[in-house]
Amino acid sequence: MLMFDCAVQLLALPPLLQPSCPQRLLERLEEIISEWNSELQERTGKFRKQANAVAEWDKRILHNQDVLLGLEIEAAKVAETDSYLELQLELIETHQQESIEDDTERTFKDERGFLVDDDAASTRDAI
């Protein structure tokens, strides 16, 4: 790292003030710095693409979370309505059963009188 700092300082000097370093060393340092810069640019681009993808996923997750919460609220309302309707249906069935029983009992009482009369008529006709 010390060599890199030295090279950067040397490159920053005007050509006339640069010490007599081998030209090839300076060129190699420039190549290395250029390669690092290119690699940094490439990795930065890849990172930004991935960061944008993650940000998009986050948006979708948050949107879907809102949708799921809305559906959960709707499902709770449907369950509450279903319970209410089940209770109402049970009440209707109970009232219908009571009504059928009352109607059957009333019809039996009404028809019983006819049956008694029919038995007397049958006995009379048999004599």
Side-chain angles (χ1 to χ4, degrees):
M1 188 66 162
L2 183 60
M3 184 176 169
F4 175 74
D5 291 338
C6 177
V8 171
Q9 290 174 359
L10 289 175
L11 291 173
L13 294 174
L16 294 176
L17 298 176
Q18 289 180 358
S20 58
C21 289
Q23 186 64 27
R24 180 71 185 131
L25 176 63
L26 291 175
E27 289 173 0
R28 180 66 185 135
L29 287 173
E30 286 178 3
E31 287 176 21
I32 292 172
I33 291 171
S34 178
E35 289 173 7
W36 285 351
N37 191 29
S38 296
E39 186 177 343
L40 177 64
Q41 294 298 323
E42 181 182 329
R43 289 185 181 196
T44 301
K46 288 179 181 178
F47 174 81
R48 285 187 178 142
K49 285 181 184 177
Q50 291 175 351
N52 288 336
V54 169
E56 188 61 34
W57 293 344
D58 284 345
K59 287 178 188 177
R60 286 187 204 156
I61 288 170
L62 291 174
H63 172 73
N64 289 341
Q65 181 183 16
D66 290 342
V67 169
L68 287 174
L69 288 174
L71 290 174
E72 188 176 325
I73 291 169
E74 292 273 334
K77 288 177 183 177
V78 167
E80 183 179 331
T81 302
D82 182 56
S83 296
Y84 174 76
L85 290 175
E86 285 288 332
L87 180 62
Q88 293 300 315
L89 184 60
E90 287 177 15
L91 288 172
I92 291 170
E93 287 175 347
T94 301
H95 289 308
Q96 282 180 339
Q97 186 64 31
E98 289 173 357
S99 176
I100 289 172
E101 289 173 0
D102 290 346
D103 288 346
T104 303
E105 190 174 315
R106 191 176 318 114
T107 302
F108 177 73
K109 286 180 183 177
D110 291 345
E111 294 293 324
R112 188 171 170 204
F114 294 127
L115 290 175
V116 171
D117 291 342
D118 286 344
D119 285 341
S122 296
T123 305
R124 185 188 62 220
D125 292 339
I127 302 182

